Amino acid sequence: MALRLNGSNTGYVELDVPADAGSHTLTLPDGGGTSGQYLQTDGSGGLSWQTVTDTTTNLTWTATQSNTGTTITFSSIPSNARRITIIFSEVSTNSTGVIRIRAGHSSGTFITSGYNTDYHWYNGGGGQGGFSTAFTFGAFQAAAWIWNGTMYLHRSNDNTWIMTSSAHYNDQDGATVLSNGRLVMGSNVLDAIQIDANTGSFDDGWIGFGYEV
């Protein structure tokens, strides 16, 4: 049996049920809801207006000039961050120390061990190596080298951060450096990233930083 609601002038809206409908009671919510909401059942016939959850992944982004200081810190990373992006644009230091990227937790404590980072560089012969004290953007460093590239950190379900990086120095006559690695955070929550000029200080360029939840 169908329920038909006739229009005041013409036409109708009809609600029908399956031939073997069983016995069910659907209780409508009070009010008409708001624009964009939908009806949700509680599984027992109770209906309510619900708002569609926004599942869009938004990048929270900031950038800073890297022309002074020995470290650059990006803090206030939320505990539910799933991906971190770091972009290096024309970045250089005044030393031969490799640029290091370290994870922070507990309001300013930065992890200095336990990293598993491997790198490979390509400029003719190529080469490879690794680090355990930080994620590294470049495999090696000389004063006045200029770096461009990106680093991505992805958090797995067991709070392990997986790193991939692609870097290039000195434009036409430099080398391409590819890096990958991991860091097991355990019970620690990553809430900051520190970029360290190592034995010197930054003297040029910009570093962009973003996270996604």
Side-chain angles (χ1 to χ4, degrees):
M1 179 179 179
L3 172 64
R4 178 176 293 185
L5 304 175
N6 292 316
S8 58
N9 292 321
T10 61
Y12 59 86
V13 174
E14 186 171 284
L15 299 177
D16 207 347
V17 296
D20 299 319
S23 299
H24 305 284
T25 299
L26 299 178
T27 303
L28 293 171
D30 184 24
T34 59
S35 177
Q37 287 189 314
Y38 66 95
L39 276 176
Q40 176 179 277
T41 178
D42 62 3
S44 300
L47 304 179
S48 62
W49 294 111
Q50 298 293 327
T51 300
V52 177
T53 301
D54 183 6
T55 58
T56 303
T57 299
N58 295 313
L59 179 66
T60 301
W61 184 256
T62 186
T64 187
Q65 196 165 6
S66 53
N67 60 0
T68 186
T70 59
T71 60
I72 295 171
T73 300
F74 296 95
S75 57
S76 300
I77 302 172
S79 60
N80 62 337
R82 302 291 302 184
R83 172 172 168 168
I84 292 172
T85 301
I86 307 171
I87 297 178
F88 294 77
S89 177
E90 303 292 289
V91 174
S92 65
T93 72
N94 61 6
S95 76
T96 58
V98 176
I99 296 174
R100 301 177 295 195
I101 293 89
R102 287 185 166 136
H105 66 93
S106 303
S107 302
T109 300
F110 291 94
I111 299 173
T112 59
S113 63
Y115 299 85
N116 183 358
T117 302
D118 295 310
Y119 62 81
H120 305 264
W121 77 85
Y122 306 89
N123 63 340
Q128 60 186 20
F131 289 91
S132 61
T133 60
F135 290 135
T136 55
F137 185 68
F140 36 78
Q141 175 74 25
W145 280 4
I146 300 172
W147 290 95
N148 292 281
T150 54
M151 174 177 284
Y152 301 103
L153 301 175
H154 301 262
R155 179 164 63 90
S156 65
N157 290 335
D158 62 351
N159 202 25
T160 295
W161 287 85
I162 307 300
M163 180 275 289
T164 59
S165 174
S166 175
H168 188 269
Y169 75 90
N170 287 6
D171 297 329
Q172 299 295 326
D173 60 346
T176 296
V177 182
L178 303 179
S179 303
N180 59 76
R182 63 192 293 267
L183 174 65
V184 179
M185 294 290 293
S187 61
N188 295 316
V189 176
L190 189 154
D191 58 18
I193 289 290
Q194 184 183 78
I195 303 172
D196 182 3
N198 206 329
T199 57
S201 60
F202 293 100
D203 57 17
D204 201 5
W206 288 84
I207 297 176
F209 177 87
Y211 62 80
E212 300 168 58
V213 297

